[in-house]
Amino acid sequence: MTVRIDQLPKKRYVLPGNAACAGCGMMIGWKILGMALGEEAVLSIPASCAAVVQGLAPKSGVAMPILNVPFASAASVATGIAHAFSQLGVRGQSVVWAGDGGTADIGFAALSAAAERNSNILYIMYDNEAYMNTGIQRSSETPKGAWTTTTPAGKRESKKDVALILMAHDVPYVATASIAYPQDFYRKIKRASEIKGFKFIHLFAPCPPGWLFDPSLTVEVARKAVETGFFILWEYDHGELKLNPPSSALVDKKRRRPLTEYLKLQGRFANLTEEQIAELEREVDRRWEFLLRFMEAKRRVDGAAGI
């Protein structure tokens, strides 16, 4: 059940005066994480924007326990914290709060290992689709055609789908979320916190300076990504995969907004040709087709097994 915005906890864990850029999507997500878990969460944060904007103790802009750890180690550190909680009988949530570079690239080996072990952690990848903290370099999460400082003519490769890769690890819970839909993200965090074992949430978090749009448009950009079908909201809970609103209403392609409505808001896509836009549209269609085919195949298997 989705909670109303006015029902969300009022206590702040991400405080005014932090060093984040104006309109930072990551900080919007961090606020929701604080609302959902509060004092229960201990965060392991690898090198990233999140490691920098929190500030230095005792003047930190984030009122949550944080361990800033080396780039590739976050999932391993979080696993150790989870084991310590268990041994000491301490109530708590061991959470990784990491960017796409520290997750899909540099931290992927430790991430996959934690998933394979079914470590009792919640790993949240806030995805701003590049190495923003070090100068907007491309990551494997940067979408095809996007400008970065290391892909000035546009990235040639497709975006890696980390959530699907982790779903293939047969872990208890995997989901996608967007900062444009805070209640959905809040609900998924709360659901993940109820589950023992490995949990992963892919959070779509636009970056104004990296994506080249006005900071006032952060939520609009994130919303357009979902409305056009570019980013799909879904949830895999103990073997059951389902689409979440509003994506669940966009199975019919005709109900999706034109992809250009999303692309035109961002300077990083300003030089795309019509052919490149058409290729991105085909890529979006392929992502939808894969998810829908997987869901249908799962229904057939369950039906044959009498589940």
Side-chain angles (χ1 to χ4, degrees):
M1 182 175 180
T2 302
V3 67
R4 299 199 314 263
I5 288 181
D6 63 339
Q7 294 175 325
L8 294 173
K10 302 299 188 292
K11 184 172 180 179
R12 293 183 177 183
Y13 291 90
V14 176
L15 308 174
N18 63 70
C21 300
C24 176
M26 181 264 294
M27 296 306 286
I28 295 174
W30 208 341
K31 290 178 181 178
I32 300 165
L33 173 63
M35 292 176 184
L37 297 183
E39 286 91 353
E40 288 189 18
V42 173
L43 308 185
S44 299
I45 299 180
S48 59
C49 293
V52 175
V53 301
Q54 62 194 254
L56 299 175
K59 302 293 185 180
S60 175
V62 180
M64 303 176 78
I66 294 172
L67 278 80
N68 290 296
V69 302
F71 231 140
S73 68
S76 300
V77 172
T79 297
I81 293 172
H83 280 299
F85 283 163
S86 177
Q87 291 296 314
L88 296 172
V90 174
R91 176 182 173 85
Q93 296 284 335
S94 181
V95 180
V96 176
W97 181 254
D100 49 289
T103 300
D105 299 339
I106 299 173
F108 188 76
L111 171 64
S112 178
E116 186 269 334
R117 292 190 303 265
N118 197 29
S119 296
N120 188 30
I121 66 174
L122 169 57
Y123 195 114
I124 301 176
M125 177 182 75
Y126 66 86
D127 182 13
N128 52 29
E129 299 188 328
Y131 289 84
M132 298 305 181
N133 180 51
T134 55
I136 319 175
Q137 298 91 358
R138 60 90 83 192
S139 77
S140 61
E141 292 301 291
T142 304
K144 181 181 288 187
W147 168 92
T148 69
T149 55
T150 51
T151 58
K155 186 179 177 232
R156 297 178 182 179
E157 300 79 16
S158 298
K159 180 183 175 77
K160 181 191 291 186
D161 200 325
V162 178
L164 285 180
I165 295 171
L166 290 170
M167 188 175 76
H169 284 63
D170 194 28
V171 297
Y173 187 83
V174 180
T176 65
S178 168
I179 57 96
Y181 301 92
Q183 300 104 305
D184 179 67
F185 182 38
Y186 177 90
R187 181 188 63 79
K188 287 171 176 174
I189 296 171
K190 297 295 281 187
R191 173 57 186 149
S193 71
E194 298 169 350
I195 298 170
K196 185 175 182 179
F198 185 88
K199 292 84 61 176
F200 179 84
I201 300 176
H202 177 174
L203 178 65
F204 191 77
C207 171
W211 296 13
L212 306 178
F213 64 82
D214 187 276
S216 66
L217 297 176
T218 300
V219 173
E220 177 67 10
V221 169
R223 184 181 297 115
K224 287 293 185 185
V226 173
E227 291 177 343
T228 60
F230 184 86
F231 188 80
I232 308 170
L233 297 176
W234 56 266
E235 189 172 19
Y236 177 81
D237 191 339
H238 290 86
E240 180 183 358
L241 176 64
K242 63 181 179 181
L243 299 177
N244 306 119
S247 293
S248 54
L250 302 177
V251 173
D252 182 355
K253 184 178 176 181
K254 296 178 181 178
R255 307 184 90 177
R256 302 172 205 160
R257 306 291 298 177
L259 183 60
T260 51
E261 290 189 10
Y262 170 67
L263 300 176
K264 71 182 181 182
L265 293 174
Q266 306 162 65
R268 64 177 179 156
F269 292 118
N271 295 322
L272 290 183
T273 65
E274 291 185 7
E275 181 179 343
Q276 288 173 311
I277 292 174
E279 173 55 31
L280 277 177
E281 290 172 338
R282 289 190 291 270
E283 198 166 280
V284 169
D285 290 342
R286 287 193 294 269
R287 286 200 292 268
W288 277 90
E289 289 170 7
F290 180 89
L291 283 174
L292 294 175
R293 287 176 180 174
F294 183 94
M295 292 168 64
E296 178 60 26
K298 184 67 166 57
R299 279 194 291 267
R300 290 179 180 178
V301 171
D302 289 348
I307 299 177

